Amino acid sequence: MKKIALVGAAGNVGRKIVEIINERDSFPDVSITPIGSMRSQGEKIHIKGHDLAVVHIDTIDFSHYDLAIFAAGSKAAQDYVPKATQAGCPVVDCSSFYRMDPKVPLVVPPVNLKDVERYTEKKIISSANCIASPITTVLAPLHQIAPIDRVVLSTYQSVSGAGKDAMNELMHQTKAFYTTMPYQRKVFPKDIAFNVLPMIDVVHPNGNTGEETKIALEIKKVLDRNISIAVQSVRVPVFISHCVSVFVEFSGAITPDQAKDALRLSPHVTVIDDMKNYYSALDAAGEDQVFVSRLRYDPSVENGLIFWTASDNLRRGAALDAVEIAEHLLTKYL
Ligand SMILES: NC(=O)c1ccc[n+]([C@@H]2O[C@H](COP(=O)([O-])OP(=O)(O)OC[C@H]3O[C@@H](n4cnc5c(N)ncnc54)[C@H](OP(=O)(O)O)[C@@H]3O)[C@@H](O)[C@H]2O)c1
């Protein structure tokens, strides 16, 4: 039986990885060690019928593992991924730290799962950001039938995208609002309850944030470097699911029906035809699909479409991607 080290097992994405492995029949039979920092050490995680205690990362000898999945953030990835790979243990990393490294394949499973084979270069595979992954999943089938020139994205990102502390902040701030109790902000720079924050991550000198830059660069790396991409990222007071308003300009003509037909061929996308209906953030929560609705012509350009996507950010673009990559790696290469 193969052994997996799951770093960040008690976090949002780590817990979802366990949940998906528990429910997924196609995943190979493995033993999983839940790993964390001091904070979650000893916490119990239910894995394949057993309650396993989270182990401190500094006690782990990665040479005893066949694969490590890191869902622990960039700092932990920077500090510990090299320890794993130097011990001969390949790593699937959910953080942004290695994503733009030319020697690290950036894999969005519905689009370029075959790139997993390049894991040998650095023993690291990165999974993409929780906007870049669902958007690439939707753009790839469209790009095949009509090459895309330009994409404009306005995101509506839930608090779970910022980790479990951010979810707690929304919950406690909302409670404090109703009970008029004081609440000290810890995660977001302004109140997130009953508010909308048009800035995620640090701001770069060109005015774009780290999040906006990541999204554009990752879509280009996975799909096509020649596509022009502009992004406005917004945090909204929703617990789970990211939604995106998508404007796509193509190099030639494409009708909404042709686009819907192409999207329907993807097993990872669900399209709604009824123009009076749509998918909300809550509709997508708990689902593996990327949901597309309100697909129509963009009247402001010659060959343009507008649509709305909703996807569960803890699944597509996080845990589901990591599990699919790990499954492919384990069954084909390890
Ligand atoms: N949430 C999303 O939608 C999403 C989407 C795509 C990618 N990601 C990426 O996935 C990663 C995890 O995100 P998340 O939302 O799950 O965050 P989270 O809820 O804050 O969980 C982070 C986990 O990492 C562990 N951790 C942090 N530093 C560690 C260290 N030095 N050593 C060992 N464990 C450490 C934490 O353990 P302790 O509690 O013990 O500190 C915690 O269990 C991040 O890189 C994030 O960018 C997240």
Side-chain angles (χ1 to χ4, degrees), residues 7-15 35-41 43 54-58 70-77 79-80 93-96 99 127-131 158-165 214 242 312-319:
V7 183
N12 270 345
V13 175
R15 284 179 185 278
I35 297 163
S37 72
M38 277 295 231
R39 210 166 68 139
S40 62
Q41 185 178 9
E43 217 173 286
V54 173
V55 179
H56 193 285
I57 192 160
D58 287 334
F70 273 70
S74 286
K75 180 71 175 72
D79 293 346
Y80 290 98
D93 182 33
C94 297
S95 84
S96 60
R99 287 180 191 152
S127 66
N129 166 287
C130 43
I131 295 291
S158 66
V159 293
S160 57
K164 59 186 174 183
D165 294 344
K214 267 188 284 190
H242 290 351
D312 182 329
N313 56 294
L314 296 180
R315 286 182 170 257
R316 179 57 68 212

Side-chain angles (χ1 to χ4, degrees), residues 55-127:
V55 179
H56 193 285
I57 192 160
D58 287 334
T59 66
I60 294 295
D61 178 350
F62 283 99
S63 69
H64 295 160
Y65 290 89
D66 300 288
L67 177 66
I69 303 177
F70 273 70
S74 286
K75 180 71 175 72
Q78 180 181 14
D79 293 346
Y80 290 98
V81 166
K83 291 185 178 162
T85 55
Q86 279 155 24
C89 176
V91 171
V92 176
D93 182 33
C94 297
S95 84
S96 60
F97 194 76
Y98 299 97
R99 287 180 191 152
M100 297 317 294
D101 184 327
K103 291 190 172 155
V104 172
L106 177 61
V107 174
V108 174
V111 179
N112 63 339
L113 193 59
K114 64 169 177 32
D115 286 355
V116 163
E117 71 189 16
R118 285 185 43 223
Y119 83 96
T120 45
E121 282 183 59
K122 254 189 151 168
K123 285 199 161 57
I124 305 170
I125 299 172
S126 284
S127 66

